[in-house]
Amino acid sequence: MHELPEGWQRQKLGEIAEIVGGSTPSKKVPEYWENGEVPWATPTDITKLPVGQRSIAATENRVTYAGLNETSLRLLPPGAVLMTSRATIGYTAINEVPITTNQGFANFLPYPETWASYLAYWLENSRETLRSISGGSTFLEVSKKSLKALPIALPPLPEQKKIAEVLGSVDEAIAATKAVIDQTKQVKKGLLQNLLTKGIGHTKFKQTELGEIPESWEICTVREVLEVQLGKMLSQKAKAGANPKPYLRNANVQWDRIETDDVYEMDFVGHEIEKFRLKNGDLIVCEGGEVGRCAIWNSEDEMYYQKALHRLRPRNGNVSSEFVKHVLTKIFRYGHDAKGIVGHNSIAHLTKKNLEAMKILVPPHDEQLAINHDLATVEDEQIKSETIAAHLEILKSGLMSELLTGRKRVEVPDA
């Protein structure tokens, strides 16, 4: 435990704020709920807040004043720190209006020398500690008793305010960047729909079984333009073989990217080397899980894949893997024209037979490349914003660790 700066105090949470819980009025009493006027928060109301948003003014559910006055509910005044204390522990918000919560919360009513935003950031930075002191057989829950005894490093009130202000400015930057990302995703979705149905610069169209399309476009089955190959079946024998090779599984393939930080190995021998080795430019598609999720393997590194994945490889130079990726994204990610393609015997899955029989629109190759370019421009903007957001998250984590412990100080103007 490091030494605190001059003026800081090591106190317990129970000494700097009153800690109160919540409850749920009986759902069997209609007058507690019908036409409710008082916001009643559940943990979902907190966890679904946009990244960087610290305040809450509305909830999905409301209770009536009868539900408030005739039960153990407590009305929390504006400025309380609401913290989830069950399952998802340590997510916080500060209420802008009087509010109540269910029993999945420990709520803090700060005493005069405690700044609510500082406390909220401190709790956020202490999530791992909060989980470590939690208990429960069905779900983790941190008790009021444990919270009261938890030590906190508390600077003077002006420094608390300044620390919260600094962290708040980073949160604002994160929120603004996330808003740009969300907007870019919407632009991409609209552009995807337009380019993959209307193309670029067409004036002549024809009616087909897939609707009106540019006159120069064709309708082909996936089988006609792409070779489809499922990966190798996973088995205990393959896991223990003498020729281990890295392979992709469903979890490695995300939308528009392949994650290789957590790659497993199994045995690939003989003809399997050629059959299941990926080539630069192969399109990988999830057979189950989030059906149709896909990405391009853009590497010359040695890599294989298991049966939970389809590998799509153009039969000739007339179709672009990148273009087909966009087509599958439109179908499976955004739900356009996917009816009848995905099987549902037990869980959703995309069989090789159904995938090969899928009918897709195929523009001339030059137009495919032009469409790829237009969509890549939007994707690049999204990637840039996501990179900025990731850096801001790292910055915030580092600042919280330094500022909330006193290892790094902020300048506080003289009163």
Side-chain angles (χ1 to χ4, degrees):
M1 188 176 292
H2 76 283
E3 186 176 344
L4 293 180
E6 184 179 351
W8 285 49
Q9 297 179 23
R10 200 177 301 280
Q11 297 186 266
K12 296 177 181 178
L13 282 182
E15 297 171 336
I16 67 165
E18 181 184 0
I19 306 174
V20 298
S23 65
T24 301
S26 174
K27 298 285 187 176
K28 296 179 180 180
V29 183
E31 54 264 34
Y32 289 169
W33 297 97
E34 290 180 359
N35 301 314
E37 302 155 293
V38 182
W40 179 77
T42 67
T44 301
D45 290 307
I46 307 300
T47 56
K48 74 178 182 181
L49 288 174
V51 173
Q53 182 172 323
R54 179 65 52 188
S55 61
I56 183 170
T59 57
E60 185 176 341
N61 299 287
R62 290 172 172 263
V63 298
T64 64
Y65 282 102
L68 176 65
N69 296 327
E70 297 175 14
T71 69
S72 60
L73 274 180
R74 180 161 173 183
L75 188 63
L76 305 172
V81 179
L82 283 54
M83 187 196 80
T84 56
S85 59
R86 285 186 178 181
T88 51
I89 296 170
Y91 289 81
T92 61
I94 297 173
N95 56 314
E96 296 179 355
V97 299
I99 203 169
T100 62
T101 73
N102 76 356
Q103 56 272 35
F105 286 85
N107 304 302
F108 298 82
L109 302 177
Y111 295 146
E113 291 306 309
T114 304
W115 192 244
S117 295
Y118 177 87
L119 176 56
Y121 281 119
W122 187 89
L123 291 167
E124 178 183 339
N125 191 52
S126 303
R127 280 180 191 159
E128 288 304 316
T129 300
L130 293 170
R131 292 190 185 103
S132 71
I133 62 173
S134 300
S137 55
T138 305
F139 48 76
L140 286 179
E141 180 173 12
V142 58
S143 70
K144 184 176 177 181
K145 179 180 179 180
S146 296
L147 287 171
K148 282 184 174 181
L150 196 64
I152 177 174
L154 197 69
L157 189 60
E159 192 167 352
Q160 292 179 49
K161 293 180 180 180
K162 187 63 179 179
I163 290 171
E165 181 184 323
V166 171
L167 294 174
S169 66
V170 181
D171 263 342
E172 288 174 5
I174 292 172
T177 307
K178 294 287 188 180
V180 171
I181 293 170
D182 290 342
Q183 181 61 35
T184 305
K185 287 179 178 178
Q186 289 303 312
V187 170
K188 179 185 174 183
K189 181 179 178 181
L191 192 61
L192 199 67
Q193 172 65 13
N194 186 62
L195 289 175
L196 297 184
T197 54
K198 302 299 182 184
I200 300 174
H202 291 279
T203 57
K204 295 183 179 180
F205 297 85
K206 60 186 178 185
Q207 287 295 332
T208 71
E209 59 187 301
L210 297 182
E212 186 180 74
I213 66 173
E215 199 170 68
S216 61
W217 287 24
E218 298 180 1
I219 296 176
C220 300
T221 63
V222 168
R223 182 189 300 108
E224 290 173 321
V225 293
L226 295 145
E227 172 196 319
V228 180
Q229 175 67 57
L230 270 170
K232 179 177 177 176
M233 176 74 77
L234 189 62
S235 68
Q236 287 301 120
K237 181 179 179 181
K239 285 182 178 180
N243 194 33
K245 302 284 187 182
Y247 71 91
L248 299 179
R249 63 196 196 283
N250 189 287
N252 299 119
V253 180
Q254 300 299 313
W255 288 111
D256 298 327
R257 71 184 191 279
I258 293 177
E259 299 177 347
T260 56
D261 292 339
D262 183 26
V263 170
Y264 296 172
E265 290 186 341
M266 68 172 162
D267 208 34
F268 288 87
V269 295
H271 74 285
E272 294 175 341
I273 300 293
E274 176 62 27
K275 184 176 182 180
F276 297 118
R277 179 166 179 169
L278 294 174
K279 293 182 180 180
N280 189 10
D282 281 344
L283 175 58
I284 311 301
V285 183
C286 292
E287 188 268 349
E290 189 177 1
V291 173
R293 193 172 64 216
C294 55
I296 303 287
W297 175 251
N298 286 316
S299 176
E300 298 291 349
D301 293 344
E302 185 175 25
M303 186 63 70
Y304 301 82
Y305 63 107
Q306 73 162 114
K307 195 177 180 181
L309 300 171
H310 298 282
R311 185 211 68 208
L312 277 62
R313 185 178 290 168
R315 293 187 181 278
N316 52 50
N318 295 330
V319 67
S320 155
S321 293
E322 189 76 20
F323 178 80
V324 178
K325 183 200 76 172
H326 295 313
V327 172
L328 297 185
T329 299
K330 172 177 172 283
I331 292 172
F332 293 107
R333 190 173 194 179
Y334 300 123
H336 294 287
D337 312 316
K339 187 177 180 181
I341 298 172
V342 179
H344 292 279
N345 290 342
S346 53
I347 59 174
H349 62 283
L350 175 62
T351 66
K352 180 180 178 182
K353 179 180 178 181
N354 284 358
L355 178 56
E356 288 183 323
M358 275 179 56
K359 293 182 178 180
I360 60 173
L361 300 178
V362 181
H365 190 257
D366 287 349
E367 188 172 0
Q368 292 179 45
L369 298 183
I371 290 171
N372 291 346
H373 177 271
D374 287 353
L375 289 169
T377 301
V378 179
E379 288 174 351
D380 287 345
E381 290 302 314
Q382 181 179 328
I383 290 170
K384 288 178 185 176
S385 295
E386 288 173 343
T387 301
I388 292 171
H391 287 163
L392 287 170
E393 294 277 11
I394 294 170
L395 171 64
K396 178 185 172 183
S397 178
L399 281 174
M400 285 200 299
S401 179
E402 295 293 304
L403 293 176
L404 296 170
T405 58
R407 287 193 293 265
K408 184 179 181 68
R409 304 296 298 278
V410 295
E411 290 187 13
V412 180
D414 295 332

